[in-house]
PDB file of all heavy atoms in Angstrom:
ATOM      1  N   LYS A  79       4.365  -2.021 -14.781  1.00 93.00           N
ATOM      2  CA  LYS A  79       4.405  -1.233 -13.483  1.00 93.00           C
ATOM      3  C   LYS A  79       4.415  -2.225 -12.358  1.00 93.00           C
ATOM      4  O   LYS A  79       5.226  -1.902 -11.332  1.00 93.00           O
ATOM      5  CB  LYS A  79       3.109  -0.414 -13.360  1.00 93.00           C
ATOM      6  CG  LYS A  79       3.049   0.737 -14.252  1.00 93.00           C
ATOM      7  CD  LYS A  79       1.712   1.456 -14.159  1.00 93.00           C
ATOM      8  CE  LYS A  79       1.514   2.515 -15.226  1.00 93.00           C
ATOM      9  NZ  LYS A  79       0.177   3.081 -15.231  1.00 93.00           N
ATOM     10  N   PHE A  80       3.788  -3.310 -12.365  1.00 93.00           N
ATOM     11  CA  PHE A  80       3.767  -4.303 -11.354  1.00 93.00           C
ATOM     12  C   PHE A  80       5.194  -4.870 -11.117  1.00 93.00           C
ATOM     13  O   PHE A  80       5.720  -5.079 -10.025  1.00 93.00           O
ATOM     14  CB  PHE A  80       2.777  -5.463 -11.626  1.00 93.00           C
ATOM     15  CG  PHE A  80       2.731  -6.427 -10.448  1.00 93.00           C
ATOM     16  CD1 PHE A  80       2.019  -6.147  -9.309  1.00 93.00           C
ATOM     17  CD2 PHE A  80       3.305  -7.651 -10.636  1.00 93.00           C
ATOM     18  CE1 PHE A  80       1.976  -7.186  -8.258  1.00 93.00           C
ATOM     19  CE2 PHE A  80       3.257  -8.680  -9.663  1.00 93.00           C
ATOM     20  CZ  PHE A  80       2.596  -8.422  -8.473  1.00 93.00           C
ATOM     21  N   LEU A  81       5.907  -5.181 -12.322  1.00 92.00           N
ATOM     22  CA  LEU A  81       7.206  -5.635 -12.246  1.00 92.00           C
ATOM     23  C   LEU A  81       8.247  -4.606 -11.883  1.00 92.00           C
ATOM     24  O   LEU A  81       9.248  -4.939 -11.234  1.00 92.00           O
ATOM     25  CB  LEU A  81       7.565  -6.335 -13.631  1.00 92.00           C
ATOM     26  CG  LEU A  81       6.787  -7.516 -14.005  1.00 92.00           C
ATOM     27  CD1 LEU A  81       7.059  -7.990 -15.357  1.00 92.00           C
ATOM     28  CD2 LEU A  81       6.950  -8.708 -12.912  1.00 92.00           C
ATOM     29  N   LEU A  82       7.960  -3.358 -12.193  1.00 92.00           N
ATOM     30  CA  LEU A  82       8.820  -2.266 -11.703  1.00 92.00           C
ATOM     31  C   LEU A  82       8.592  -1.841 -10.258  1.00 92.00           C
ATOM     32  O   LEU A  82       9.492  -1.247  -9.616  1.00 92.00           O
ATOM     33  CB  LEU A  82       8.771  -1.087 -12.657  1.00 92.00           C
ATOM     34  CG  LEU A  82       9.397  -1.239 -13.989  1.00 92.00           C
ATOM     35  CD1 LEU A  82       9.094  -0.067 -14.920  1.00 92.00           C
ATOM     36  CD2 LEU A  82      10.921  -1.538 -13.949  1.00 92.00           C
ATOM     37  N   PHE A  83       7.402  -2.011  -9.813  1.00 91.00           N
ATOM     38  CA  PHE A  83       7.016  -1.444  -8.509  1.00 91.00           C
ATOM     39  C   PHE A  83       7.966  -1.900  -7.375  1.00 91.00           C
ATOM     40  O   PHE A  83       8.311  -1.093  -6.452  1.00 91.00           O
ATOM     41  CB  PHE A  83       5.545  -1.755  -8.169  1.00 91.00           C
ATOM     42  CG  PHE A  83       5.045  -1.055  -6.922  1.00 91.00           C
ATOM     43  CD1 PHE A  83       4.695   0.275  -7.126  1.00 91.00           C
ATOM     44  CD2 PHE A  83       4.909  -1.668  -5.723  1.00 91.00           C
ATOM     45  CE1 PHE A  83       4.198   0.942  -6.053  1.00 91.00           C
ATOM     46  CE2 PHE A  83       4.451  -0.993  -4.661  1.00 91.00           C
ATOM     47  CZ  PHE A  83       4.079   0.383  -4.783  1.00 91.00           C
ATOM     48  N   PRO A  84       8.508  -3.177  -7.396  1.00 87.00           N
ATOM     49  CA  PRO A  84       9.447  -3.493  -6.303  1.00 87.00           C
ATOM     50  C   PRO A  84      10.620  -2.632  -6.298  1.00 87.00           C
ATOM     51  O   PRO A  84      11.240  -2.350  -5.213  1.00 87.00           O
ATOM     52  CB  PRO A  84       9.774  -4.972  -6.613  1.00 87.00           C
ATOM     53  CG  PRO A  84       8.516  -5.449  -7.306  1.00 87.00           C
ATOM     54  CD  PRO A  84       8.041  -4.336  -8.077  1.00 87.00           C
ATOM     55  N   LEU A  85      10.993  -2.068  -7.428  1.00 84.00           N
ATOM     56  CA  LEU A  85      12.109  -1.049  -7.412  1.00 84.00           C
ATOM     57  C   LEU A  85      11.814   0.116  -6.570  1.00 84.00           C
ATOM     58  O   LEU A  85      12.737   0.786  -6.008  1.00 84.00           O
ATOM     59  CB  LEU A  85      12.476  -0.722  -8.827  1.00 84.00           C
ATOM     60  CG  LEU A  85      12.958  -1.775  -9.763  1.00 84.00           C
ATOM     61  CD1 LEU A  85      13.176  -1.321 -11.182  1.00 84.00           C
ATOM     62  CD2 LEU A  85      14.288  -2.431  -9.236  1.00 84.00           C
ATOM     63  N   THR A  86      10.489   0.559  -6.610  1.00 81.00           N
ATOM     64  CA  THR A  86      10.117   1.660  -5.790  1.00 81.00           C
ATOM     65  C   THR A  86      10.407   1.394  -4.331  1.00 81.00           C
ATOM     66  O   THR A  86      10.541   2.383  -3.542  1.00 81.00           O
ATOM     67  CB  THR A  86       8.671   2.097  -6.022  1.00 81.00           C
ATOM     68  OG1 THR A  86       7.791   1.057  -5.436  1.00 81.00           O
ATOM     69  CG2 THR A  86       8.271   2.222  -7.528  1.00 81.00           C
ATOM     70  N   ASN A  87      10.227   0.272  -3.949  1.00 78.00           N
ATOM     71  CA  ASN A  87      10.446  -0.092  -2.531  1.00 78.00           C
ATOM     72  C   ASN A  87      11.869  -0.648  -2.220  1.00 78.00           C
ATOM     73  O   ASN A  87      12.131  -0.971  -1.082  1.00 78.00           O
ATOM     74  CB  ASN A  87       9.456  -1.186  -2.103  1.00 78.00           C
ATOM     75  CG  ASN A  87       8.039  -0.547  -2.053  1.00 78.00           C
ATOM     76  OD1 ASN A  87       7.880   0.300  -1.116  1.00 78.00           O
ATOM     77  ND2 ASN A  87       7.192  -0.877  -2.925  1.00 78.00           N
ATOM     78  N   ALA A  88      12.817  -0.694  -3.149  1.00 84.00           N
ATOM     79  CA  ALA A  88      14.108  -1.191  -2.942  1.00 84.00           C
ATOM     80  C   ALA A  88      14.853  -0.311  -1.842  1.00 84.00           C
ATOM     81  O   ALA A  88      15.390  -0.820  -0.878  1.00 84.00           O
ATOM     82  CB  ALA A  88      14.945  -1.210  -4.229  1.00 84.00           C
ATOM     83  N   THR A  89      14.762   0.978  -1.969  1.00 78.00           N
ATOM     84  CA  THR A  89      15.377   1.840  -0.983  1.00 78.00           C
ATOM     85  C   THR A  89      14.627   1.789   0.290  1.00 78.00           C
ATOM     86  O   THR A  89      15.344   1.627   1.316  1.00 78.00           O
ATOM     87  CB  THR A  89      15.393   3.304  -1.528  1.00 78.00           C
ATOM     88  OG1 THR A  89      16.057   3.400  -2.804  1.00 78.00           O
ATOM     89  CG2 THR A  89      16.019   4.266  -0.504  1.00 78.00           C
ATOM     90  N   ASN A  90      13.363   1.736   0.246  1.00 82.00           N
ATOM     91  CA  ASN A  90      12.540   1.510   1.499  1.00 82.00           C
ATOM     92  C   ASN A  90      13.045   0.236   2.162  1.00 82.00           C
ATOM     93  O   ASN A  90      13.255   0.198   3.378  1.00 82.00           O
ATOM     94  CB  ASN A  90      11.114   1.506   1.119  1.00 82.00           C
ATOM     95  CG  ASN A  90      10.240   1.335   2.339  1.00 82.00           C
ATOM     96  OD1 ASN A  90      10.376   0.345   3.102  1.00 82.00           O
ATOM     97  ND2 ASN A  90       9.295   2.229   2.478  1.00 82.00           N
ATOM     98  N   PHE A  91      13.135  -0.809   1.437  1.00 81.00           N
ATOM     99  CA  PHE A  91      13.561  -2.139   1.977  1.00 81.00           C
ATOM    100  C   PHE A  91      14.869  -2.033   2.625  1.00 81.00           C
ATOM    101  O   PHE A  91      15.084  -2.528   3.668  1.00 81.00           O
ATOM    102  CB  PHE A  91      13.420  -3.223   0.870  1.00 81.00           C
ATOM    103  CG  PHE A  91      13.788  -4.611   1.342  1.00 81.00           C
ATOM    104  CD1 PHE A  91      12.921  -5.284   2.075  1.00 81.00           C
ATOM    105  CD2 PHE A  91      15.029  -5.136   1.150  1.00 81.00           C
ATOM    106  CE1 PHE A  91      13.228  -6.542   2.558  1.00 81.00           C
ATOM    107  CE2 PHE A  91      15.417  -6.342   1.530  1.00 81.00           C
ATOM    108  CZ  PHE A  91      14.517  -7.079   2.332  1.00 81.00           C
ATOM    109  N   VAL A  92      15.839  -1.459   1.927  1.00 87.00           N
ATOM    110  CA  VAL A  92      17.278  -1.415   2.460  1.00 87.00           C
ATOM    111  C   VAL A  92      17.228  -0.582   3.765  1.00 87.00           C
ATOM    112  O   VAL A  92      17.794  -0.972   4.757  1.00 87.00           O
ATOM    113  CB  VAL A  92      18.202  -0.766   1.431  1.00 87.00           C
ATOM    114  CG1 VAL A  92      19.549  -0.463   2.070  1.00 87.00           C
ATOM    115  CG2 VAL A  92      18.378  -1.765   0.315  1.00 87.00           C
ATOM    116  N   ILE A  93      16.572   0.619   3.685  1.00 84.00           N
ATOM    117  CA  ILE A  93      16.552   1.515   4.896  1.00 84.00           C
ATOM    118  C   ILE A  93      15.785   0.859   6.090  1.00 84.00           C
ATOM    119  O   ILE A  93      16.370   0.801   7.144  1.00 84.00           O
ATOM    120  CB  ILE A  93      15.809   2.879   4.522  1.00 84.00           C
ATOM    121  CG1 ILE A  93      16.769   3.635   3.560  1.00 84.00           C
ATOM    122  CG2 ILE A  93      15.517   3.624   5.841  1.00 84.00           C
ATOM    123  CD1 ILE A  93      16.017   4.905   2.998  1.00 84.00           C
ATOM    124  N   THR A  94      14.647   0.202   5.776  1.00 87.00           N
ATOM    125  CA  THR A  94      13.903  -0.433   6.935  1.00 87.00           C
ATOM    126  C   THR A  94      14.704  -1.615   7.389  1.00 87.00           C
ATOM    127  O   THR A  94      14.714  -1.933   8.620  1.00 87.00           O
ATOM    128  CB  THR A  94      12.496  -0.763   6.511  1.00 87.00           C
ATOM    129  OG1 THR A  94      12.450  -1.574   5.431  1.00 87.00           O
ATOM    130  CG2 THR A  94      11.655   0.496   6.347  1.00 87.00           C
TER     131      THR A  94
END
Side-chain angles (χ1 to χ4, degrees):
K79 291 174 189 174
F80 184 76
L81 294 173
L82 287 175
F83 194 75
L85 297 176
T86 71
N87 287 293
T89 301
N90 182 304
F91 181 77
V92 170
I93 292 170
T94 57

